[in-house]
Amino acid sequence: AWALGRIGKPAAIAVKDMLPLLKDFQVSRHIVADALGRTQSKEAVLVLLPLLKDPEDAMRQAAALALGRAGAEAKQAVKALIEAMKDPIAGSAAAEALGLIGPDAREAIRPLGSAMAGQNVQLAVASGKALAGIGGDSVPVLCDTLRGTDQPSRRRAIEALVEIGPDARGSMTVIVEMLGNPREPLVEEVVLRVLGHRPRHVLEVARSVDEEHGGRPRSGRSLALRTIEERAQRRPVPARERDELRLRKRKIAQRIGHKLLARDAAHCGH
């Protein structure tokens, strides 16, 4: 089963052959569940769904994570995984699985947002990461969390927005309002990641926010904005931009070389 799991999708033809192993307590059933999930097949998802209610704690956790690894094929399992988040043992695994499924698990955004602000720390952390995995559709819920007063959940929301990156642009007004708050050290990182290193846009949003508050900037915001601008200016050139620049230089050198060769050939002809 472990080897089939490493094979991944092509092992989908062996799903039926793995089924008897799930009833064999002499083998590691969680490894079988993992292998089934990695096949990313509808058949495997149908087999894994009932295992979310298995009497064995480790098996419920393994089944949840395996459904997450099934990716888009596990879309039909989203409701079951939302319900599984109530499991005191496997709840965090179910939340993690929803994040692995990605945008197709958008139905789980509200329950994950509530869990992120809950008392179960392990589930709260997993829920924040899951919201990041779902992507841009999670931004409104994360902004609602930022407007709240619970510091741990607000921090998780900021971390999720960092992971979402440019797709989280819709959160900028809320984030700029927080700039200059010493209790939010990750806010500057959010601004850089979300805006793709475009500090001018940050300044525009900041000005509009200040106008709403009578034109008085928040204490410490000016310094935060200046820090963001300085960091953005000295950022390293991304590998893709660097490769494109090298390619342009190479093409220019080739064109110059061809012109020189043509000139030499013309001189030789004379």
Side-chain angles (χ1 to χ4, degrees), residues 12-23:
I13 58 173
V15 168
K16 291 182 179 179
D17 296 321
M18 286 189 271
L19 298 185
L21 297 176
L22 290 171
K23 300 177 181 179

Side-chain angles (χ1 to χ4, degrees), residues 4 6 26 31-32 38 51 66 116 122 130 142 163 166 178 181 186 188 191-192 216 227 258 262:
L4 289 169
R6 301 287 81 74
Q26 300 301 314
I31 293 178
V32 181
R38 290 178 188 275
L51 296 177
M116 187 176 67
Q122 190 173 6
L142 292 169
E163 290 302 316
M178 297 166 63
N181 187 339
L186 280 175
E188 290 175 19
V191 172
L192 285 173
R216 293 188 298 275
T227 303
H258 290 155

